[in-house]
Amino acid sequence: MNGSMVSQKSATESSLKDAEPDYEVVVIGAGVGGIYQIKRLTDLGVNATVLEGDADLGGTWYRNRYPGARFDSESFTYGYSWDQEVLDEWHWKEMFSPQPETLKYLNFVADKFGLREHMQFNCHVEKMIFDENGCTWSLYLKDGREITSRFVMTAIGLLSVPTLPRIDGIDDYAGEAFHTFNWPKDPIDLKGKRVAVIGTGATAIQLIPEVAKEAEHLTIFQRRANWAAPLNNSEISEKEMAEIRDRYDEIFATCARTPGGFEHEPDRRGFYSVPEEERRELWDRLYDGPGFGIWLQNFVEIFMDEDANAEFSEYIAERIRGRVDDPVLAEKLIPKDHGFGIQRVPLETNYFETYNRDNVSFVDGSEQPIQRITESGIETSENHYEFDVIVYATGFDAFTGAFDKIDIRGVDGQSLREKWAEGPVTYLGLLVNGFPNLLMISGPQTAATNFPRGAELAVNWATELLEHVWSSGNGRIEATAAGEQSWFDHVMKMYEPFLLRKAQSWITGYNSNLDGHEYGKTRYNIYNGGGPKYADRLQQEAQDGYEGIDIG
Ligand code: NAP
């Protein structure tokens, strides 16, 4: 029995007033974060379980099965860093792993460590109530069960609640229709079908070229143009994988040092100190290189300075013009209302060339907005289009949506949904005042980074906090109101220098399909200081004895 298990018992003995809870820790969600969290807890011998709403593990990679789904992180920067055997054994087959391969990877990791036995599937948590007397959470499941736990850790994703468009008649449609997040598990045959895709975000931009290859005809409904740049994916040979394995220490060290948690390091030479010709040479190289280089290896001024951003956006516009045959259509695909990189940049493979195909049509929502969905298709202000399949690539109730789906009641019955009605407020993105013994993995207001890099950081920090609590014979943690306010003020301040503060995007809480998410009502969803500063802040908090957290 290890030390923390002993301390867990003493914590329990000293603070438990009522009956022993079913678990010391319940983790909600068996995705990238939840898998690692249960690994850490079971290694410590803690009585813990994962409750997962889906029928199997994988989270995002279990759900997003649409054709073309893959991540935009170099695969070897996306995998877990914490086990040498996993690093030695797993062969990433592509630079940017497609969904089936990533799901296989998560299963490989879970099975290797026997984690599945600590997971319960098809468990939808509908309600959670904190009981101050017992200092425990009661979790109420859709299947009628009630489970009690001293601590709850959420790993419920930031893009896990899809939103359908608020368009009249959506239920009238008689053909096949689904949100990309709910793409059927059994592949659907699009051959010979007339397909509509609504939306041109990162999801649609991956999906559209794949659907166009298969469908008889594809019609894309764009409301606002979105910037995108090439992914430049490639296969990873055995030899290349061996080289990557030799570099893993260096790779993860670089990810820990860069703001975005990638190998891409920002160019800090100064936009205006580099002659225009050299700037363009850099951009040529980045545009033709893999992944987020074009975004994250760029001059830092791109993100803050309107003029620098405008010059770079015009460069990207020229590249788009060079890829779309019809110049009038090319202009419609080039955003005029925001600069490149202000919203999350989608990466694409032949997205712009897809518009050159004979079986692809484009409907510009600024000229003919969608008015209703009918029994047989989509009606705009100008036309009626008939379809066999309608795909909604219309985004998510980001960051807080998954929390809002659970009725979470903290001290004195306070509702988290109500507390966050105008946007999330947290302490370090990990705790919330008024909601004791609740820890969030990759919750709102954490650094926006390559997802697993941030999730590992959060899991490690949260686990160490729990070890500290257990070893000091305590059983209750709660962020202080003052700590929460100071973190929120800092998060808000970190939006100021960045042009993204103006973005009409889920990062700032915009979603036209949700009340209270109108453009201009900024929700401070992310910490903009970057991974290293965020990691330093977490480390400081632990070193200072968790000053912003009441431990009792
Ligand atoms: P999104 O970026 O929010 O895009 C939603 C799209 O749907 C937008 O084009 C939006 O138009 C359109 N839309 C929404 N409601 C509409 C309506 N009522 N009528 C017409 N159009 C409507 O969502 P997403 O593409 O699913 O991407 C979300 C995030 O998921 C990404 O930014 C990314 O972080 C993540 N993601 C990652 C990957 C990856 O790692 N490779 C892949 C896919 C997604 P407007 O622009 O006008 O609002």
Side-chain angles (χ1 to χ4, degrees), residues 437-551:
N437 291 13
L438 177 67
L439 282 155
M440 302 176 294
I441 303 305
S442 308
Q445 296 176 354
T446 51
T449 63
N450 192 359
F451 188 83
R453 305 280 61 82
E456 281 188 12
L457 181 69
V459 166
N460 289 337
W461 189 86
T463 308
E464 278 149 35
L465 168 61
L466 288 181
E467 286 188 277
H468 170 80
V469 172
W470 290 324
S471 66
S472 53
N474 289 300
R476 188 186 191 280
I477 53 172
E478 183 181 354
T480 64
E484 188 177 79
Q485 186 62 50
S486 74
W487 180 246
F488 183 70
D489 292 345
H490 180 54
V491 166
M492 274 209 312
K493 202 168 163 40
M494 292 306 293
Y495 272 70
E496 281 169 20
F498 294 100
L499 297 172
L500 75 72
R501 68 186 180 276
K502 301 178 181 172
Q504 197 167 339
S505 127
W506 57 273
I507 304 258
T508 45
Y510 164 74
N511 185 325
S512 69
N513 305 306
L514 293 169
D515 288 335
H517 290 248
E518 293 78 16
Y519 179 55
K521 279 192 179 176
T522 303
R523 294 163 72 94
Y524 297 94
N525 284 328
I526 59 171
Y527 171 65
N528 280 313
K533 271 200 191 124
Y534 181 65
D536 286 351
R537 178 67 186 84
L538 291 188
Q539 196 183 13
Q540 195 62 51
E541 177 71 7
Q543 269 170 13
D544 294 348
Y546 302 103
E547 281 183 343
I549 304 171
D550 282 333
I551 300 178

Side-chain angles (χ1 to χ4, degrees), residues 387-404:
F387 295 109
D388 303 305
V389 180
I390 299 179
V391 182
Y392 297 105
T394 45
F396 296 87
D397 185 355
F399 293 99
T400 50
F403 290 90
D404 287 350

